[in-house]
Structure formats: C-alpha cells, structure tokens
C-alpha cells in the first residue's frame, strides 16, 4: 500500500514527461516478482522508461531487463523458503549476517558493476526491496541522487517499520518470529518485545555496518 501511494504521488509529479526508473529486485522469488511486475508494466505503458534488475527473466516484459544470478539459489537448494518462519531467533540472525555474501553474487556481475560505476546514467526514481536481506542496495538511491520507493511483498519486520517511520507497538504489532497473534498475554508481549528489540538493535549495530562496508567493495568513485 505504501509503495503504491508513493508511486502514485510520483506519477502525478512527473506526469508531464516520461521518467527513468530503476527497479532493483535481484532476488529470485516468483511471488515477489509477480507482485511487482504489473506495476512497472503499467508505468512503461504510460511512457516511462524502465530498467529492471532481476534474476528471473520475463520473456514478455516490454522494458529493459538486466538478468543476474539469483543470490538465494544456493540457499533455496538446501532449504525450503517456507520453513524460514520456523527458524529460531539465532538461526535468523545468522541468516541475516550471511545476506551480504548473497548480495555479492549479483553485485560482482560486470553489468551491475557497470551500472554502479556509471557517471552518465540518470534515474528519476529507484524502486528496490532492500529491507529483505539487501540493505546494501539502498545505496542505489544515493548513487543516482534519486528518491527511492521500498517494495515489500512479505509482512514487515520491526526494522522496516522503524526505518520507514511507520508506527509500531510491541504490545500489539507482532513479529513472525514470536508466532503470536494480536491478542497476546503478558508473556507473549514480553517475548514479542524481546524479538522486536533484537531485530532493530541487531540490524542497526551489526547488519548495517557490514552492509555499509559492502557498498565500497569494487568502487573507485566517491559515494
């Protein structure tokens, strides 16, 4: 909903001319891609120029695609992604720490390096899914000096709500890791608070420094 409202607002602002839009969603999830693609097909139909970075080629897409290796291919070959919700807290934290290693799979692609290092590429908007193990990609907005739209096809984490300024309360906003409903007793609220605070603090003080250092890998131009 938030993404759609932001896109609608942006379309009003630039409705008098076509915009250059970069869509950076390299994770190979069919459900996520099938959620996002109709939006950008419609934007293309309305005269906007779309550059779509993905690991799943859409043979019917009318816009330009940059197809990269799926960062989660090795992970999904070993684990059922639908079982992630059954991971414990420690397993989830380890998975998050490994996410930068996954990102290096596509960031090292020569075509992505060319895009990152380019000095003549211009985009009016960058749409990405950085809050899903891909925080390093948030630098794209800074690189191209363009506003960003955060896409999300899964329930938001507390970190996502925190950085986007959306309201949340540990007493009624639940984490998927706490496995609780909105009707929590005291102990469930306590567990939910612990999980939520861990998500925010771990991401801020452990994940983000790692992703920030990853932004500089392979770069020679200043940020």
């Amino acid at each position: 909903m938030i993404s759609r409202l932001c896109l609608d607002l942006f379309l009003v602002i630039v409705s008098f001319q076509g915009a250059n839009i970069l869509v950076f969603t390299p994770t190979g999830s069919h459900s996520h891609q099938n959620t996002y693609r109709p939006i950008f097909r419609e934007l293309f139909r309305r005269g906007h120029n779309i550059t779509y970075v993905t690991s799943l080629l859409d043979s019917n897409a009318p816009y330009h695609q940059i197809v990269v290796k799926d960062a989660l291919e090795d992970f999904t070959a070993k684990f059922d992604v639908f079982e992630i919700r059954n991971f414990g807290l420690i397993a989830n934290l380890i998975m998050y720490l490994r996410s930068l290693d996954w990102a290096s799979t596509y960031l090292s692609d020569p075509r992505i390096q060319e895009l990152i290092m380019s000095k003549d590429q211009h985009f009016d908007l960058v749409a990405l899914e950085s809050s899903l193990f891909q925080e390093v990609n948030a630098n794209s907005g800074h690189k191209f000096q363009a506003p960003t739209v955060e896409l999300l096809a899964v329930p938001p984490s507390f970190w996502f709500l925190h950085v986007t300024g959306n309201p949340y309360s540990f007493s009624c906003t639940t984490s998927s890791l706490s496995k609780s409903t909105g009707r929590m007793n005291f102990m469930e609220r306590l567990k939910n608070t612990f999980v939520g605070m861990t998500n925010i603090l771990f991401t801020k003080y452990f994940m983000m420094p790692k992703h920030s250092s990853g932004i500089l890998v392979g770069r020679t131009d200043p940020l």
Side-chain angles (χ1 to χ4, degrees):
M1 178 63 72
I2 295 174
S3 300
R4 185 58 185 270
L5 289 174
C6 290
L7 284 172
D8 288 343
L9 177 61
F10 183 78
L11 285 175
V12 171
I13 296 173
V14 300
S15 58
F16 59 90
Q17 63 179 2
N20 287 325
I21 302 174
L22 172 64
V23 186
F24 208 101
T25 59
T27 303
S29 168
H30 288 277
S31 59
H32 292 212
Q33 297 296 329
N34 290 338
T35 299
Y36 306 144
R37 282 172 175 166
I39 298 174
F40 297 103
R41 282 177 177 273
E42 180 62 20
L43 287 173
F44 181 85
R45 189 187 70 81
R46 296 188 185 191
H48 301 285
N49 181 43
I50 308 294
T51 299
Y52 203 114
V53 178
T54 179
S55 57
L56 297 174
L57 175 66
D58 182 359
S59 57
N60 297 317
Y63 42 72
H64 174 56
Q65 297 178 91
I66 300 176
V67 183
V68 298
K69 178 178 172 59
D70 181 9
L72 298 181
E73 183 177 14
D74 294 336
F75 176 80
T76 54
K78 299 176 182 178
F79 300 96
D80 182 351
V81 293
F82 294 104
E83 290 300 315
I84 292 178
R85 65 181 182 273
N86 296 323
F87 283 10
L89 179 61
I90 300 301
N92 266 274
L93 297 181
I94 294 173
M95 182 175 64
Y96 268 86
L97 278 176
R98 292 185 57 193
S99 63
L100 187 58
D101 298 329
W102 299 340
S104 64
T105 302
Y106 56 81
L107 289 176
S108 60
D109 187 295
R111 292 163 298 177
I112 299 301
Q113 282 295 306
E114 182 181 357
L115 181 67
I116 293 173
M117 305 293 286
S118 66
K119 297 184 181 298
D120 56 353
Q121 285 271 22
H122 169 74
F123 293 101
D124 301 297
L125 181 73
V126 177
L128 40 79
E129 194 178 24
S130 67
S131 64
L132 192 65
F133 314 124
Q134 304 169 74
E135 281 84 354
V136 66
N137 297 341
N139 179 58
S140 303
H142 178 80
K143 158 65 184 176
F144 297 108
Q145 295 295 294
T148 60
V149 169
E150 185 68 32
L151 304 171
L152 194 64
V154 295
S157 66
F158 281 111
W159 171 251
F160 176 85
L161 297 174
H162 179 71
V163 297
T164 56
N166 283 283
Y168 61 90
S169 170
F170 296 128
S171 63
C172 59
T173 305
T174 60
S175 165
S176 59
L177 293 178
S178 67
K179 298 180 175 62
S180 299
T181 67
R183 296 178 177 273
M184 295 180 284
N185 58 35
F186 174 77
M187 291 305 297
E188 288 172 329
R189 287 192 178 97
L190 188 63
K191 178 182 178 181
N192 191 60
T193 300
F194 174 77
V195 170
M197 289 299 297
T198 301
N199 176 235
I200 293 172
L201 295 175
F202 179 82
T203 305
K204 181 175 182 178
Y205 294 108
F206 290 91
M207 283 284 295
M208 295 312 296
K210 187 176 181 181
H211 278 274
S212 295
S213 63
I215 290 172
L216 301 174
V217 174
R219 297 184 64 99
T220 57
D221 61 324
L223 294 177

